[in-house]
Amino acid sequence: MENLPNCPKCNSEYTYEDGSLLVCPECGYEWNANMESEDENVIKDANGNVLSDGDSVIVIKDLKVKGSSSSIKIGTKVKNIRLVHDPSDGHDIECKIDGFGAIKLKSSVVKKS
């Protein structure tokens, strides 16, 4: 029996081949074995553009900041972002914003500039 990789979604060891795809019987996830390494650790902005460390992004909606009376306004440019590939809270961008300091953002609320 071949050694197939574990499921990237649920880490199940019971994956099997179905044509050119690998399938997980536990969660139902299907993926292409050749594309597996390319899809890992890819973070995209709200428009689907791939982000990388050091990029500049623009906030696309007003964001309320917990513990602060002010908010981050739409159109705020954020320079030199750092990506977090395994976020525990869903915030996959770490950055510094003038007037706020160090903050974490979700990639779904920014677009690449």
Side-chain angles (χ1 to χ4, degrees):
M1 184 171 188
E2 275 184 60
N3 285 337
L4 296 174
N6 289 354
C7 176
K9 295 291 182 189
C10 70
N11 203 29
S12 171
E13 61 184 22
Y14 302 111
T15 57
Y16 63 90
E17 286 183 286
D18 184 19
S20 63
L21 296 176
L22 294 175
V23 180
C24 175
E26 291 185 9
C27 69
Y29 182 67
E30 298 179 352
W31 73 100
N32 187 338
N34 298 333
M35 301 296 283
E36 179 182 356
S37 61
E38 293 177 17
D39 288 341
E40 287 182 26
N41 299 330
V42 174
I43 297 175
K44 296 182 179 182
D45 68 359
N47 295 331
N49 298 317
V50 177
L51 297 173
S52 60
D53 287 338
D55 281 348
S56 295
V57 295
I58 298 174
V59 177
I60 60 171
K61 69 181 207 177
D62 289 342
L63 303 172
K64 294 180 182 177
V65 180
K66 284 187 178 180
S68 176
S69 60
S70 58
S71 63
I72 299 172
K73 301 292 182 190
I74 188 171
T76 302
K77 187 167 186 175
V78 181
K79 298 178 182 176
N80 199 19
I81 64 171
R82 193 173 91 217
L83 301 178
V84 180
H85 292 286
D86 293 321
S88 60
D89 58 356
H91 295 83
D92 47 10
I93 297 174
E94 290 182 348
C95 59
K96 289 184 182 177
I97 298 178
D98 294 335
F100 286 95
I103 195 165
K104 292 182 179 181
L105 299 172
K106 292 184 178 182
S107 59
S108 61
V109 298
V110 298
K111 69 177 182 177
K112 194 171 184 177
S113 62

mmCIF file of all heavy atoms in Angstrom, residues 1 4 15 28 30 47 58 61 74-75 89 93 107-108 112-113:
data_model
loop_
_atom_site.group_PDB
_atom_site.id
_atom_site.type_symbol
_atom_site.label_atom_id
_atom_site.label_comp_id
_atom_site.label_asym_id
_atom_site.label_seq_id
_atom_site.Cartn_x
_atom_site.Cartn_y
_atom_site.Cartn_z
ATOM 1 N N MET A 1 0.833 -1.181 0.000
ATOM 2 C CA MET A 1 0.000 0.000 0.000
ATOM 3 C C MET A 1 0.876 1.243 0.000
ATOM 4 O O MET A 1 1.883 1.304 0.686
ATOM 5 C CB MET A 1 -0.903 -0.026 1.229
ATOM 6 C CG MET A 1 -1.876 1.094 1.275
ATOM 7 S SD MET A 1 -3.034 0.788 2.634
ATOM 8 C CE MET A 1 -4.161 2.085 2.298
ATOM 9 N N LEU A 4 0.243 7.622 1.428
ATOM 10 C CA LEU A 4 -0.405 8.845 0.984
ATOM 11 C C LEU A 4 -0.341 9.881 2.101
ATOM 12 O O LEU A 4 -0.347 9.531 3.291
ATOM 13 C CB LEU A 4 -1.863 8.564 0.604
ATOM 14 C CG LEU A 4 -2.054 7.614 -0.583
ATOM 15 C CD1 LEU A 4 -3.532 7.309 -0.769
ATOM 16 C CD2 LEU A 4 -1.480 8.221 -1.845
ATOM 17 N N THR A 15 -6.654 8.710 3.886
ATOM 18 C CA THR A 15 -6.876 9.268 2.557
ATOM 19 C C THR A 15 -6.725 8.180 1.497
ATOM 20 O O THR A 15 -6.057 7.171 1.713
ATOM 21 C CB THR A 15 -5.876 10.400 2.259
ATOM 22 O OG1 THR A 15 -4.553 9.903 2.396
ATOM 23 C CG2 THR A 15 -6.081 11.565 3.202
ATOM 24 N N GLY A 28 -14.431 14.612 3.807
ATOM 25 C CA GLY A 28 -14.902 14.777 2.441
ATOM 26 C C GLY A 28 -14.076 15.728 1.596
ATOM 27 O O GLY A 28 -14.450 16.039 0.473
ATOM 28 N N GLU A 30 -11.353 17.066 -0.935
ATOM 29 C CA GLU A 30 -10.640 16.537 -2.100
ATOM 30 C C GLU A 30 -9.572 17.540 -2.510
ATOM 31 O O GLU A 30 -9.810 18.739 -2.515
ATOM 32 C CB GLU A 30 -11.607 16.318 -3.260
ATOM 33 C CG GLU A 30 -12.690 15.308 -2.982
ATOM 34 C CD GLU A 30 -13.651 15.144 -4.149
ATOM 35 O OE1 GLU A 30 -13.565 15.918 -5.117
ATOM 36 O OE2 GLU A 30 -14.486 14.235 -4.073
ATOM 37 N N ASN A 47 -9.769 40.586 -2.740
ATOM 38 C CA ASN A 47 -9.951 40.458 -4.184
ATOM 39 C C ASN A 47 -9.329 39.193 -4.752
ATOM 40 O O ASN A 47 -9.380 38.971 -5.953
ATOM 41 C CB ASN A 47 -9.359 41.668 -4.907
ATOM 42 C CG ASN A 47 -10.087 42.944 -4.558
ATOM 43 O OD1 ASN A 47 -11.265 42.922 -4.253
ATOM 44 N ND2 ASN A 47 -9.381 44.057 -4.581
ATOM 45 N N ILE A 58 -4.452 48.132 1.709
ATOM 46 C CA ILE A 58 -5.394 49.196 2.037
ATOM 47 C C ILE A 58 -6.611 48.559 2.694
ATOM 48 O O ILE A 58 -7.151 47.565 2.192
ATOM 49 C CB ILE A 58 -5.805 49.968 0.778
ATOM 50 C CG1 ILE A 58 -4.583 50.641 0.165
ATOM 51 C CG2 ILE A 58 -6.887 50.991 1.095
ATOM 52 C CD1 ILE A 58 -4.834 51.313 -1.157
ATOM 53 N N LYS A 61 -12.813 48.478 4.653
ATOM 54 C CA LYS A 61 -14.010 48.839 5.413
ATOM 55 C C LYS A 61 -13.600 49.348 6.783
ATOM 56 O O LYS A 61 -12.503 49.053 7.266
ATOM 57 C CB LYS A 61 -14.983 47.670 5.522
ATOM 58 C CG LYS A 61 -14.543 46.516 6.370
ATOM 59 C CD LYS A 61 -15.615 45.429 6.363
ATOM 60 C CE LYS A 61 -15.572 44.604 7.609
ATOM 61 N NZ LYS A 61 -16.622 43.610 7.657
ATOM 62 N N ILE A 74 -11.815 53.353 6.460
ATOM 63 C CA ILE A 74 -11.671 52.792 5.122
ATOM 64 C C ILE A 74 -10.622 53.609 4.364
ATOM 65 O O ILE A 74 -10.539 54.824 4.505
ATOM 66 C CB ILE A 74 -13.034 52.789 4.395
ATOM 67 C CG1 ILE A 74 -12.947 52.039 3.081
ATOM 68 C CG2 ILE A 74 -13.531 54.200 4.175
ATOM 69 C CD1 ILE A 74 -14.299 51.812 2.422
ATOM 70 N N GLY A 75 -9.790 52.938 3.597
ATOM 71 C CA GLY A 75 -8.759 53.609 2.821
ATOM 72 C C GLY A 75 -7.434 53.778 3.542
ATOM 73 O O GLY A 75 -6.485 54.313 2.971
ATOM 74 N N ASP A 89 -6.731 32.864 15.913
ATOM 75 C CA ASP A 89 -7.943 33.667 16.030
ATOM 76 C C ASP A 89 -8.466 34.194 14.692
ATOM 77 O O ASP A 89 -9.385 34.996 14.669
ATOM 78 C CB ASP A 89 -7.687 34.835 16.976
ATOM 79 C CG ASP A 89 -6.538 35.717 16.514
ATOM 80 O OD1 ASP A 89 -5.892 35.385 15.506
ATOM 81 O OD2 ASP A 89 -6.280 36.743 17.169
ATOM 82 N N ILE A 93 -2.738 38.716 9.501
ATOM 83 C CA ILE A 93 -1.796 39.783 9.152
ATOM 84 C C ILE A 93 -1.414 40.522 10.426
ATOM 85 O O ILE A 93 -2.274 40.933 11.199
ATOM 86 C CB ILE A 93 -2.419 40.780 8.150
ATOM 87 C CG1 ILE A 93 -2.745 40.080 6.833
ATOM 88 C CG2 ILE A 93 -1.493 41.962 7.924
ATOM 89 C CD1 ILE A 93 -3.481 40.947 5.847
ATOM 90 N N SER A 107 -7.182 39.047 6.497
ATOM 91 C CA SER A 107 -6.907 39.314 5.085
ATOM 92 C C SER A 107 -8.187 39.620 4.311
ATOM 93 O O SER A 107 -8.120 40.201 3.223
ATOM 94 C CB SER A 107 -6.171 38.129 4.451
ATOM 95 O OG SER A 107 -6.950 36.964 4.560
ATOM 96 N N SER A 108 -9.331 39.276 4.831
ATOM 97 C CA SER A 108 -10.599 39.526 4.141
ATOM 98 C C SER A 108 -11.039 40.985 4.193
ATOM 99 O O SER A 108 -11.982 41.368 3.505
ATOM 100 C CB SER A 108 -11.704 38.639 4.729
ATOM 101 O OG SER A 108 -11.881 38.931 6.086
ATOM 102 N N LYS A 112 -4.648 44.475 -1.707
ATOM 103 C CA LYS A 112 -3.257 44.758 -2.012
ATOM 104 C C LYS A 112 -3.162 46.085 -2.757
ATOM 105 O O LYS A 112 -3.956 46.367 -3.644
ATOM 106 C CB LYS A 112 -2.677 43.631 -2.854
ATOM 107 C CG LYS A 112 -1.188 43.631 -2.974
ATOM 108 C CD LYS A 112 -0.734 42.348 -3.653
ATOM 109 C CE LYS A 112 0.773 42.268 -3.694
ATOM 110 N NZ LYS A 112 1.203 41.005 -4.271
ATOM 111 N N SER A 113 -2.187 46.911 -2.390
ATOM 112 C CA SER A 113 -2.034 48.200 -3.078
ATOM 113 C C SER A 113 -0.876 48.179 -4.039
ATOM 114 O O SER A 113 -0.047 47.322 -4.037
ATOM 115 C CB SER A 113 -1.865 49.314 -2.084
ATOM 116 O OG SER A 113 -0.706 49.142 -1.312
#
